[in-house]
Every structure is written in structure tokens, then in C-alpha cells.
Amino acid sequence: MNYLLRIGLGIALAFGLVRIAAAQARPYPSGDTRTTYEKLLKQIEVIPMYDNHAHPGFADDTDVDAMASPPDESATLRLRDDNPEFVAGAKALFAYPYDDFQPDHAKWLADRKKAAEQAGGVSYFSSILDKLNVDICLANRAMMAPYLDPKRFHWVFFGDAFFYPFDNSAQRVSTPDMGVYVPLQEKMLSRWKKQEGIQGLPADLAGYEDFVRRTMADNQKRGGVAIKYEAAYFRSLHFSDPPRANAKTIYNKYQAAGAPTASEYREFQDYIFRVMVDQAGKLHLPMHFHSAIGIGDYFSLHNGNVLNLENVLRDGRYKNVTFVLVHGGWPYEREAALMTAVKNVYLDTSFQTEMLYPSQFKEVVKQLLTLYPDKMMYGSDAFPFNDSLGAEESMWLAAYTTRTGLAAALAELVDEGAISEAKALELARNYLHDNAARLYGDLKK
Ligand SMILES: [Zn+2]
């Protein structure tokens, strides 16, 4: 390089550096981040949210999920029903007059909810969404409830039952938890059969495939906006790609009677899963996966690890299928977030927003929004805990954690000079609402 050119380059770099320095990110925030936080939080509170994953419903409604809690689960600290934050939630939503959940106090809440249930109509749960400034909530339920307004609550139905068409006696006794889960899958499968007018099992694999495809298409026509898998509770999230001939042999062997071995059953499930992925692509029906840790002593962290899905998510044949990693893979949320680099892969932060405290969620959301912010979506995983502590308080806790954690994460990014305040609010709108609304075609033009 000649001397003059070197000087020229030096000058250009110097000017360049001056320009960069004005927007240079720093490791420590400047200014009072708490003030920035308060300012952002006020603006974030008025952004309506789109809840990508919840189980809205009354406590005695068994359709809030297709499965039930395992017989002996350990609840993490924040999700125990003595968490005083739930009192704050009940006060915010219902002006709950007590400061604890002593049985006679909790009855006040339970009575209120019972009265709402008996009154009927769709206004009660819509009013909860209004109080929390939630626009739309995806309702991941076995079946929809007449008390949820379909304009506000969109159905996400379950696909796992199709994994269990045969004699499941060996599956049931494999762990005490499977003894609870498998009969509920059998119940779900018989409901799909009834819906499609099918008695027993179709005579051959082609008949079964047709039944699976038809159920998916019909559920979509009945308002289903996505199909959800809780498979991580039952088996590995790794799905191999067996040839149809193998599935056909297994189907013919067990169609009438007999319990498949664990490996035969897994191979059949892997095949029928591929049939469902293919159909989901044809129907433009997003596929939701439980991708975080699960409850119960027998949930396998190894099998439930979101990385098990990588071969499916990166499969070029499935470019037309939208995949959503529900619960964002936690505690492997970085792995999950990195997989959203794939064009058709998204994630939501449901469940994390209830289990993690705002200071912990702040770190998660700060990381997520600096990776692929156009792929990240809000979610609650709201669920009725018991008669008094319902999906309502659970939804409140997730909304509160999300707004405060998000405002804190964005305040840090703004004060560290990484992003402008305008950019922070754009990221907030996309994460809280627009990414999901765009994905399901609900973005108002
Ligand atoms: Zn859930």
C-alpha cells in the first residue's frame, strides 16, 4: 500500500470511528436505567399482547388440556400456591379483599369464579383479557369451551393421541406418570374417532393415515389455528424418518390386538409424525411443540431437549411448515433461539414468564431479542391451579413478568447504547403482539 493511500485510509477510518462512536454499544449503561425502565414500562403497558400459548378455562373443566399433572409433581418456588404474588394478582383482577389464601379467604375467590361459570356467556374470560390488555389468546385445549369467545380465543388442538392407536398396556406401566398420561391420550383418540365417525381402528395403514389427515383438516375448519404436541412428556423429541413399509408392517401386526415393543411403537410414531408434518404443511397449520422441561419425576431432560427436533426443523422438505417452539426450549432457551434462524421456526416464552422472576426473565428476553427478534413471541401458559387460583391469576403473573422483564431488558439495551428508544419499542411491539399476529394472519392492516 503506498503512503498516500495509507493516509487516506487512516483519515477515512478516523471519520468512520467518530461516526460509529456516536452509536457505540458499551458494556455498562450510562444514565439512570431505572428512569429509562419506568419510561419504557409505561409505553409497554399500553401495547396489546398476543398470547401464543395458554390453557384458559375454569378449574373443573377437564378440557383445558389433553393431559393431566403427574401423580406426584414438585412445583418450583414461584409456582407454589403460597406465592404471595398470586394475592397481588387476585387484587389486581378482582379487588380481592384479603392478603393471603387462608381457606375461608380463598373461598371468596372460588365462589366468584363459580358464579361466573354458572352465569355462562363469553364475557367473563374476555373481560380478563381486557383487564390485562391481551388482544388474542391461543387456547391450547382438548376441545374449545362454549364460554370462550372465538373472536378472542383461538383453538390450538392436540396431535399426540395419534401416537397411541394400539394396545398401550406396556406403555402405561413404563412409568407411574405414563399410567396417568396414556389413558388420557386414548380418550382423546376416541374423541377424534367419534368426530370422524370411525369405529375401532381402520383396517390398514392407509385408512389410519386418512383418519389422521381428515381430523387435522376438520379441526382446522372448526377453528383450529395450530396443532400442539406434548410428546416430550411421553417420548423423545427426536423423530427418525422410517420408510412407510416398516410402519405398515407394524400396523398390520397390531391393528387387531397385541402390544408393540417399545422400539416398534417408537418407529410407528416416528412415521405417523412425518404424515402429520406433511399434512400440516399442506393445510398451512403451524405445529406447536412443548419444548421446555416438564413436570413430574419421570420427565426426561435428555429426551425433552429441544435440540432433538433439529433434524425436523432443518429438513428442507418442510420449508412450507411453520414450527413453534412453545416455552422457548427452557433451560435450553439459547439453543431454541438459535434454531429460529431457520426461516419457518418461531418460539414463544410461555411458562418461563410464570416460572422465572422478572429479574431472571429480563436476562432471557434480552438475549432472545438480540438474536432473531422477528421470531420471538409472548406466551403465558396460563393454567387453572385450583378452584380459587385460576388461569386468570396465572395469566396476570405471566403478563406482569413479561412487561416488567421486557422493559428492564430494553432499558439496559437503550442505556448501553445498543439500540434507540424507538427501536426498543418496535422490538416490544413485535415480540408482544405483531410477530404472532403476522404468523396467524391476525395483523390488522
Ligand atoms: Zn401449556
Side-chain angles (χ1 to χ4, degrees):
M1 202 188 294
N2 73 43
Y3 180 70
L4 275 179
L5 195 64
R6 221 178 285 180
I7 290 180
L9 190 65
I11 292 169
L13 270 176
F15 275 107
L17 279 177
V18 169
R19 198 157 36 82
I20 291 163
Q24 186 71 59
R26 302 169 295 273
Y28 290 106
S30 63
D32 179 8
T33 303
R34 213 177 282 195
T35 306
T36 312
Y37 162 77
E38 298 290 349
K39 194 175 164 199
L40 286 174
L41 183 60
K42 275 200 190 74
Q43 298 173 84
I44 282 170
E45 274 166 353
V46 297
I47 300 172
M49 300 202 290
Y50 195 118
D51 188 344
N52 185 69
H53 178 76
H55 306 272
F58 293 108
D60 61 356
D61 179 351
T62 52
D63 277 350
V64 292
D65 203 332
M67 57 177 257
S69 297
D72 183 26
E73 71 170 290
S74 313
T76 56
L77 183 67
R78 200 181 191 209
L79 294 177
R80 295 180 189 172
D81 49 20
D82 63 353
N83 176 5
E85 291 178 287
F86 288 122
V87 175
K91 282 180 185 293
L93 290 172
F94 307 111
Y96 181 61
Y98 305 105
D99 295 322
D100 56 46
F101 287 126
Q102 297 291 332
D104 50 328
H105 295 167
K107 191 178 174 299
W108 184 95
L109 258 189
D111 287 348
R112 222 193 136 98
K113 289 167 187 182
K114 200 80 250 143
E117 188 173 12
Q118 277 159 4
V122 296
S123 64
Y124 175 73
F125 271 99
S126 295
S127 78
I128 301 295
L129 295 191
D130 292 340
K131 283 177 189 172
L132 298 173
N133 195 17
V134 175
D135 176 18
I136 288 174
C137 173
L138 299 194
N140 185 204
R141 297 175 44 101
M143 296 285 178
M144 271 307 257
Y147 58 78
L148 296 174
D149 184 350
K151 283 197 210 72
R152 308 290 297 278
F153 293 91
H154 299 174
W155 188 34
V156 175
F157 61 91
F158 287 93
D160 304 281
F162 299 115
F163 291 140
Y164 292 98
F166 308 125
D167 178 339
N168 295 309
S169 50
Q171 297 283 321
R172 274 194 223 194
V173 296
S174 59
T175 69
D177 291 2
M178 287 293 270
V180 172
Y181 302 153
V182 174
L184 290 168
Q185 295 308 317
E186 291 171 338
K187 184 180 156 200
M188 198 70 240
L189 189 69
S190 65
R191 290 173 87 174
W192 298 141
K193 280 191 202 158
K194 198 170 167 216
Q195 176 180 304
E196 300 301 321
I198 285 176
Q199 306 260 318
L201 264 190
D204 56 17
L205 180 62
Y208 191 70
E209 290 168 308
D210 180 57
F211 159 58
V212 171
R213 292 192 191 103
R214 258 192 306 132
T215 311
M216 289 171 70
D218 287 343
N219 284 346
Q220 187 181 40
K221 283 186 203 129
R222 294 165 63 227
V225 297
I227 181 167
K228 158 85 183 300
Y229 294 87
E230 303 184 298
Y233 275 95
F234 318 127
R235 48 155 291 148
S236 170
L237 281 180
H238 177 80
F239 292 92
S240 69
D241 194 6
R244 186 173 186 277
N246 295 17
K248 196 174 168 184
T249 304
I250 298 165
Y251 193 89
N252 291 340
K253 193 167 162 192
Y254 298 106
Q255 187 269 347
T261 65
S263 68
E264 283 174 325
Y265 224 145
R266 198 164 45 244
E267 190 171 24
F268 176 79
Q269 292 175 345
D270 290 354
Y271 174 77
I272 210 68
F273 174 74
R274 301 283 175 160
V275 171
M276 291 191 267
V277 178
D278 184 64
Q279 176 71 338
K282 291 195 173 99
L283 295 172
H284 301 292
L285 184 72
M287 301 185 96
H288 285 196
F289 294 91
H290 174 105
S291 71
I293 47 151
I295 48 178
D297 286 355
Y298 300 92
F299 184 92
S300 164
L301 288 177
H302 182 83
N303 287 342
N305 187 325
V306 66
L307 281 177
N308 284 309
L309 281 169
E310 193 168 20
N311 65 322
V312 170
L313 304 183
R314 293 193 194 276
D315 191 324
R317 291 171 297 173
Y318 304 143
K319 281 283 169 215
N320 61 333
V321 185
T322 299
F323 299 107
V324 182
L325 306 172
V326 170
H327 317 320
W330 197 90
Y332 312 109
E333 76 274 11
R334 287 198 283 194
E335 285 83 343
L338 289 170
M339 290 199 288
T340 68
V342 181
K343 305 272 180 302
N344 45 320
V345 180
Y346 293 74
L347 72 72
D348 80 30
T349 53
S350 61
F351 170 65
Q352 297 183 40
T353 53
E354 291 190 323
M355 190 193 56
L356 302 177
Y357 284 95
S359 63
Q360 300 170 307
F361 184 65
K362 175 193 78 173
E363 300 302 328
V364 170
V365 79
K366 188 175 177 183
Q367 173 85 78
L368 297 187
L369 293 183
T370 50
L371 289 170
Y372 304 102
D374 43 340
K375 298 304 201 58
M376 309 302 168
M377 305 187 287
Y378 166 67
S380 67
D381 205 15
F383 194 94
F385 287 43
N386 54 51
D387 289 347
S388 48
L389 208 49
E392 302 92 320
E393 286 81 5
S394 165
M395 204 174 267
W396 173 87
L397 189 69
Y400 170 80
T401 308
T402 297
R403 288 200 167 103
T404 52
L406 175 66
L410 292 173
E412 287 183 3
L413 287 168
V414 168
D415 285 354
E416 290 162 13
I419 56 173
S420 67
E421 204 178 300
K423 183 72 182 172
L425 290 169
E426 178 197 316
L427 294 178
R429 276 190 299 274
N430 281 331
Y431 160 66
L432 293 174
H433 185 278
D434 290 1
N435 289 342
R438 215 172 278 121
L439 179 62
Y440 301 101
D442 292 319
L443 198 62
K444 291 170 190 96
K445 300 275 162 20

